[in-house]
Amino acid sequence: NAGVTQTPKFQVLKTGQSMTLQCAQDMNHNSMYWYRQDPGMGLRLIYYSASEGTTDKGEVPNGYNVSRLNKREFSLRLESAAPSQTSVYFCASSEPGISVEAFFGQGTRLTVV
Amino acid sequence: ELKVEQNPLFLSMQEGKNYTIYCNYSTTSDRLYWYRQDPGKSLESLFVLLSNGAVKQEGRLMASLDTKARLSTLHITAAVHDLSATYFCAGYINTGTASKLTFGTGTRLQVTL
């Protein structure tokens, strides 16, 4: 039972480069989320998708785009990476009406130099 | 907008001692979550509190929720070294079309011999 799978686990980018973080869940959840975690700031919501075909901005969306490709997959794209985007990124999924649990992936540690 | 505050941010305690982590939130929250995170790892769900007066216990950890005071607590009884980790609380809001978790900044717990 894989749960929520993120790729890659680690990435180093140069300023201005682009990349896409991938997230897939096998629990048939409607809702998916992207968070970033920075020291002393907890987890902050970047974007979320309540269901396939919908996406909404969270607390810190600037510099990011997302795609809800299908019900399983929710990707996060950095078009032009900046050092301020150095962080650990977590994807999560939940099914609010059925399960109270929110499940998290293992995280992607991104460094922008 | 839901805001979640935790205190303390850092807690150093001796084995065998008791202590409480506090989580205050700013507006009505449908649920309150507690997570544990070990260094370099993802978030592990500890408790989900669904209603006023809810109390849940697992081993040396006990969580409670007072929705009137907008306060949740995580009580640690007779701490052991294995409890060293960062603990997060998160409030949850379901608007009907979307649901979001808002995290506190975390409490880093260090249990010393």
Side-chain angles (χ1 to χ4, degrees), chain B:
Chain B
E1 191 77 18
L2 176 64
K3 294 195 184 302
V4 179
E5 291 185 358
Q6 268 181 259
N7 66 84
L9 296 183
F10 178 73
L11 176 57
S12 180
M13 55 191 300
Q14 287 183 316
E15 277 200 336
K17 300 292 187 182
N18 304 331
Y19 209 81
T20 300
I21 299 171
Y22 297 89
C23 176
N24 291 89
Y25 53 98
S26 60
T27 63
T28 301
S29 177
D30 297 317
R31 305 168 191 164
L32 198 294
Y33 292 76
W34 283 97
Y35 286 91
R36 168 182 171 144
Q37 186 182 38
D38 293 301
K41 303 293 185 182
S42 186
L43 282 79
E44 173 191 354
S45 178
L46 293 175
F47 302 108
V48 183
L49 303 168
L50 300 177
S51 60
N52 187 43
V55 177
K56 290 196 173 180
Q57 182 163 6
E58 180 73 33
R60 300 174 188 274
L61 301 178
M62 183 174 71
S64 65
L65 179 62
D66 181 343
T67 58
K68 293 179 182 176
R70 295 180 184 162
L71 171 68
S72 180
T73 60
L74 181 66
H75 187 74
I76 303 152
T77 302
V80 292
H81 182 70
D82 284 353
L83 290 179
S84 297
T86 299
Y87 293 85
F88 293 94
C89 65
Y92 172 94
I93 289 182
N94 187 342
T95 64
T97 56
S99 59
K100 293 187 288 185
L101 280 176
T102 299
F103 283 82
T105 53
T107 297
R108 185 174 157 221
L109 173 65
Q110 185 177 62
V111 181
T112 58
L113 297 172

